[in-house]
Amino acid sequence: MNASEGMDSVNKHGSQPLLEVKNLKTYFPVKRGLLRKHVGNVKAVDDVSFTVGHQETVGLVGESGCGKSTVGRTILRLIPATHGEVSFNGEDVLGTSSGRMKQLRREMQMIFQDPVGSLNPRMTIRRIIGEPMQVHKVASGSELDDRIAVLLEKCGMLPEHMYRYPHEFSGGQRQRIGIARALALNPKFIVCDEPVSALDVSVQSQILNLLADLQEEFGLSYLFIAHNLAVVEHFCDRIAVMYLGRIVEMADRDTLYANPIHPYTKALLSAAPSPDPRRKKQRIMLLGDVPSPISLFEDEKKLAADIAAGNIEEMSEEEKAERAAEASDDIEIVTRKRLLDRPPLVEVENGHWVSQRA
């Protein structure tokens, strides 16, 4: 059984997944020169497979630039996919017509990362939340106002706030407005694109609690995108860790935190701050710069050529790692070069998938 088949299994509620993503690839062309010649591709998403079950929250975590947000936007067809399959309730999302996709958008919505940039400053809150319902002809007139008032109250706002503008609210309140807009069409699935990363820590917990309450009340499924594993620890049912466009480890929350296997997952977990300052844990440091997604091995070839020509005299990453390990027993070094080897996912235990050699 391969990775995509294994992760398309029955979900925790005993039914088929609500969303299935198979071998998804999203490449952006790189053009250079006067004639804008195509010289390569930015492989933002490179062969990603996972599922989201009914009323399940799947976390997608990794460093900035690893392709998390591109996955979410490609699923909703905000960005065209290069290859792969996306199935929602058994229906092909990437291959469906634009007219049918408009209908599917009622069931698939998105909460954006920036609560300021995602709201039109020239529109009142009433227009922002009501616009989806008007486009899809769900409600109008007094019924529209009643629906907006209910949505605002569900998200911790007051009905009279609908007559104000976005600049009159704080960042947390603006994100609540964004959540109310995402709920306007009564969707089944929501992509949460780092919805709390731009907020204060105290406000983050409020938004996470709000999302959990709304999930229970409306039976929602979430794809929760974040760069901090600590944020998703108590919120997600399963977690997928991405590095350079690929998932390198995926498991349920308890398994991933108790037994991380991939060195990149271990490094992310070790970087999360501990609430107990007296607790000591081994720190794992990633040495080296993040490789360019245009060509992962291009920098390595150039470095090898420079070393062979005698143009570089400084220590290699491996030598630096040895020196750093000698200097401190509490720090383990993982080089970026080591992470470039990203074989297909294999199931090391039930539901625990890791990118490693079988």
Side-chain angles (χ1 to χ4, degrees):
M1 181 172 63
N2 61 36
S4 60
E5 290 173 344
M7 287 184 287
D8 290 339
S9 58
V10 176
N11 66 42
K12 65 177 183 177
H13 295 281
S15 59
Q16 291 300 316
L18 176 67
L19 179 79
E20 297 181 66
V21 179
K22 294 183 180 180
N23 309 117
L24 185 65
K25 297 181 181 181
T26 305
Y27 296 169
F28 298 103
V30 178
K31 298 181 179 180
R32 292 174 183 168
L34 191 62
L35 300 178
R36 309 302 296 164
K37 182 180 179 181
H38 181 214
V39 296
N41 293 300
V42 175
K43 298 181 179 181
V45 179
D46 192 15
D47 201 12
V48 166
S49 300
F50 64 91
T51 64
V52 180
H54 295 269
Q55 300 182 41
E56 183 183 31
T57 301
V58 174
L60 194 59
V61 300
E63 292 174 296
S64 297
C66 71
K68 309 181 301 297
S69 296
T70 305
V71 169
R73 292 168 185 262
T74 304
I75 289 172
L76 300 182
R77 274 179 59 175
L78 300 179
I79 295 176
T82 304
H83 176 77
E85 301 176 23
V86 176
S87 175
F88 180 77
N89 253 347
E91 185 170 353
D92 180 15
V93 174
L94 301 182
T96 193
S97 65
S98 58
R100 177 54 186 157
M101 191 63 208
K102 180 180 178 180
Q103 297 175 349
L104 282 178
R105 293 194 190 281
R106 296 183 58 171
E107 302 184 51
M108 306 169 67
Q109 290 290 313
M110 188 167 191
I111 300 171
F112 295 91
Q113 176 180 359
D114 184 8
V116 179
S118 63
L119 303 179
N120 191 329
R122 298 185 179 183
M123 295 172 63
T124 63
I125 306 307
R126 179 185 182 277
R127 286 190 61 193
I128 289 173
I129 300 177
E131 186 176 42
M133 291 185 277
Q134 291 177 319
V135 169
H136 290 272
K137 300 179 181 180
V138 173
S140 61
S142 60
E143 182 184 359
L144 179 66
D145 289 343
D146 292 341
R147 283 175 174 261
I148 295 172
V150 170
L151 286 170
L152 287 172
E153 289 181 326
K154 293 287 185 184
C155 295
M157 305 288 286
L158 298 175
E160 54 265 31
H161 287 160
M162 74 173 74
Y163 302 107
R164 299 183 183 179
Y165 287 86
H167 73 270
E168 301 180 60
F169 298 96
S170 66
Q173 289 175 317
R174 289 170 182 168
Q175 196 60 289
R176 291 176 185 271
I177 294 168
I179 294 172
R181 178 180 58 185
L183 293 173
L185 298 174
N186 194 25
K188 296 179 180 178
F189 171 71
I190 298 179
V191 174
C192 304
D193 186 10
E194 301 202 39
V196 298
S197 63
L199 307 176
D200 294 337
V201 175
S202 59
V203 180
Q204 286 183 9
S205 61
Q206 296 174 16
I207 297 299
L208 290 175
N209 290 335
L210 172 62
L211 290 172
D213 293 340
L214 293 173
Q215 181 178 39
E216 183 176 355
E217 181 175 355
F218 296 105
L220 299 171
S221 298
Y222 293 138
L223 175 63
F224 191 87
I225 299 170
H227 62 269
N228 188 345
L229 273 169
V231 172
V232 301
E233 181 176 4
H234 302 292
F235 187 72
C236 298
D237 301 303
R238 288 186 295 127
I239 301 173
V241 181
M242 280 192 71
Y243 182 69
L244 291 177
R246 293 185 185 177
I247 293 177
V248 296
E249 186 163 3
M250 185 170 188
D252 65 83
R253 175 186 57 200
D254 296 335
T255 301
L256 189 75
Y257 280 84
N259 183 32
I261 295 177
H262 197 276
Y264 182 68
T265 307
K266 293 180 180 179
L268 289 183
L269 287 172
S270 72
S274 173
D276 185 0
R278 296 169 297 182
R279 179 187 174 189
K280 292 184 178 181
K281 61 179 181 179
Q282 187 181 37
R283 178 69 191 274
I284 300 176
M285 295 183 62
L286 295 175
L287 190 66
D289 297 328
V290 179
S292 168
I294 297 176
S295 178
L296 295 180
F297 301 100
E298 187 175 284
D299 294 337
E300 264 72 20
K301 292 179 181 178
K302 183 178 183 301
L303 180 62
D306 288 339
I307 293 175
N311 298 329
I312 294 181
E313 298 179 356
E314 61 183 21
M315 294 183 298
S316 66
E317 287 190 355
E318 288 75 16
E319 291 172 330
K320 291 179 181 179
E322 292 177 1
R323 296 284 182 88
E326 292 172 358
S328 175
D329 295 333
D330 297 330
I331 299 178
E332 178 185 347
I333 303 295
V334 175
T335 64
R336 294 280 183 178
K337 287 183 179 180
R338 177 182 171 188
L339 298 179
L340 287 178
D341 183 27
R342 297 167 300 151
L345 295 169
V346 296
E347 191 172 23
V348 295
E349 57 182 321
N350 186 27
H352 191 174
W353 297 82
V354 184
S355 175
Q356 65 177 24
R357 299 296 174 186

